[in-house]
Amino acid sequence: MNAPFSIPATEIVAGESPVRIGGIGTALPPHRLDQREVESAAGPILRDSLPDFDRLARSFASAGIDTRYSVAPLDWFARPGGWHERMTLFRQGAGTLFLEAAAAALAEASLRPEDVDCVVTVSTTGIVTPSLDAQVLEALGLRRDVTRVPVFGLGCAGGVSGLSIARRMAASHPGSNVLLVAVEACTLSFRRDNPRKADMIATMLFGDGAAAVCLSTAASGAVLGAGVEFTWPATLEIMGWDIQDDGLGVVFDRSIPAFLEQHLAEAVETSLLRLALYRSQITRFVCHPGGAKVIRSLELALTLPRGALDHERSVLRRYGNMSSPTVLFVLREVLREAPRGCLLLTALGPGFTAALLPVHADG
């Protein structure tokens, strides 16, 4: 096993107040996509341009998904537009999701928008400038002196890495209120022209959504530890975007499940050393459910019983893979059961990178 990094990642100094979760909110766009309806609609659109469509389409039934939600109606995918149309839909749809998720998290934390001192925004599925936090500042009611931290490019790992960034902001300013918002419109990456197998997988898996978390040293919920990341060498081509004229083409290497089974355990053990934690102290892994095969590979890699990641499967079944917000949907479900002990959030993203963050729950 690789030696631990020399720089301590716990970032806990004597007398530092713990950063706690005050509230978690989620939001979904208005268009509900039934998996069977998506499969039926995909045939006439993709069959002629994707020779293996009929063979690949068998995976719709085994993807572990019943429903997803989209910022665009189902009929939009028969005639998806270019960059301008997609980014207009992103700005409008993701902006609404941002507002709804943030409002829900603030309400649960008993905070007003003007109480927020810093907002960390994580998104990788659209580009708007000024960034989304600025787009919604007035509508949400944030102060004009609020600190804005927009983060792009973390992909599915963004929920965990973003939470780690927000935790650092809260720890560095005790008593301040930090709002994290992870918002994605993955479905807008759909490509009708020259689709590849990876695009077909995205068509089966992707959904849109947002999750928001309020953090503060003054809150009373679960305590966040410091987050860590582990990036494997020579893995840039495993996951990401292939930027084309018609939008963002997804990059999913077919080796991801097998790669996790072979290499994830070592990354987790190395990260736990950095966090000064033993594997035996982890009462539950809280994972990003990238897909049904990925969930099973996570269970195998982490030597968990089959079915142990029940909330992950439930979130995937109801909402699909929403990229960065998905693991926060899972965290919300797990915390509702009032668990005790150390939870370990894990998510995988472009890099190829594993992001991990301990959450200490006291029931």
Side-chain angles (χ1 to χ4, degrees):
M1 184 172 65
N2 294 334
F5 290 83
S6 59
I7 300 175
T10 50
E11 300 177 12
I12 303 293
V13 297
E16 181 181 83
S17 298
V19 176
R20 295 178 178 270
I21 295 175
I24 301 178
T26 60
L28 297 166
H31 303 289
R32 182 180 181 273
L33 306 180
D34 180 273
Q35 185 77 329
R36 291 168 297 183
E37 293 176 353
V38 174
E39 180 180 3
S40 297
I45 298 172
L46 296 176
R47 184 174 281 110
D48 291 342
S49 55
L50 191 63
D52 289 339
F53 175 84
D54 290 317
R55 179 180 62 83
L56 296 173
R58 299 170 192 162
S59 297
F60 270 101
S62 59
I65 296 171
D66 293 338
T67 56
R68 289 173 278 160
Y69 294 81
S70 172
V71 298
L74 186 58
D75 58 8
W76 177 83
F77 298 93
R79 44 173 180 77
W83 269 106
H84 177 72
E85 181 177 342
R86 292 170 191 254
M87 292 307 98
T88 297
L89 283 170
F90 176 81
R91 185 180 69 252
Q92 296 169 346
T96 299
L97 290 170
F98 188 117
L99 290 170
E100 293 178 357
L106 290 168
E108 187 171 286
S110 299
L111 294 174
R112 302 167 300 171
E114 55 266 34
D115 295 326
V116 175
D117 301 291
C118 172
V119 56
V120 177
T121 306
V122 173
S123 188
T124 307
T125 49
I127 301 171
V128 292
T129 304
S131 53
L132 281 175
D133 42 26
Q135 301 277 342
V136 304
L137 188 146
E138 293 189 16
L140 182 57
L142 297 172
R143 299 198 315 266
R144 297 196 176 276
D145 65 347
V146 68
T147 299
R148 297 166 38 227
V149 185
V151 183
F152 178 84
L154 296 176
C156 294
V160 177
S161 294
L163 199 57
S164 177
I165 294 169
R167 179 229 169 245
R168 293 186 186 188
M169 298 298 292
S172 65
H173 299 280
S176 66
N177 294 305
V178 178
L179 174 67
L180 165 71
V181 181
V183 54
E184 308 285 6
C186 304
T187 61
L188 296 179
S189 66
F190 177 77
R191 298 172 71 188
R192 175 172 180 164
D193 298 327
N194 301 314
R196 301 162 302 178
K197 181 179 178 180
D199 298 305
M200 184 69 172
I201 295 172
T203 301
M204 298 176 191
L205 295 178
F206 276 169
D208 304 339
V213 185
C214 293
L215 305 176
S216 179
T217 59
S220 59
V223 176
L224 296 181
V228 297
E229 294 181 356
F230 185 103
T231 299
W232 287 277
T235 54
L236 293 177
E237 304 302 321
I238 285 184
M239 181 184 292
W241 289 127
D242 180 17
I243 301 176
Q244 300 289 341
D245 290 339
D246 60 346
L248 300 171
V250 68
V251 176
F252 280 150
D253 193 281
R254 62 183 298 178
S255 68
I256 290 176
F259 185 94
L260 295 180
E261 292 176 31
Q262 294 175 16
H263 302 292
L264 181 62
E266 179 182 1
V268 170
E269 292 300 326
T270 299
S271 298
L272 288 175
L273 285 174
R274 294 179 63 197
L275 293 168
L277 289 171
Y278 293 104
R279 170 65 187 266
S280 60
Q281 293 175 274
I282 307 302
T283 57
R284 193 194 194 283
F285 285 88
V286 179
C287 302
H288 167 71
K293 290 183 179 180
V294 170
I295 294 175
R296 182 55 186 152
S297 293
L298 289 170
E299 289 177 340
L300 292 171
L302 299 172
T303 61
L304 302 174
R306 178 183 285 272
L309 301 179
D310 52 348
H311 286 298
E312 286 80 352
R313 285 187 170 86
S314 176
V315 167
L316 181 70
R317 184 178 67 254
R318 290 179 286 161
Y319 311 119
N321 182 348
M322 299 171 285
S323 191
S324 65
T326 319
V327 71
L328 302 177
F329 275 67
V330 178
L331 177 61
R332 182 187 63 164
E333 298 298 315
V334 171
L335 290 179
R336 283 179 172 177
E337 295 185 339
R340 302 185 67 86
C342 183
L343 316 175
L344 188 65
L345 270 65
T346 67
L348 302 158
F352 186 49
T353 299
L356 304 97
L357 187 148
V359 178
H360 304 279
D362 53 9

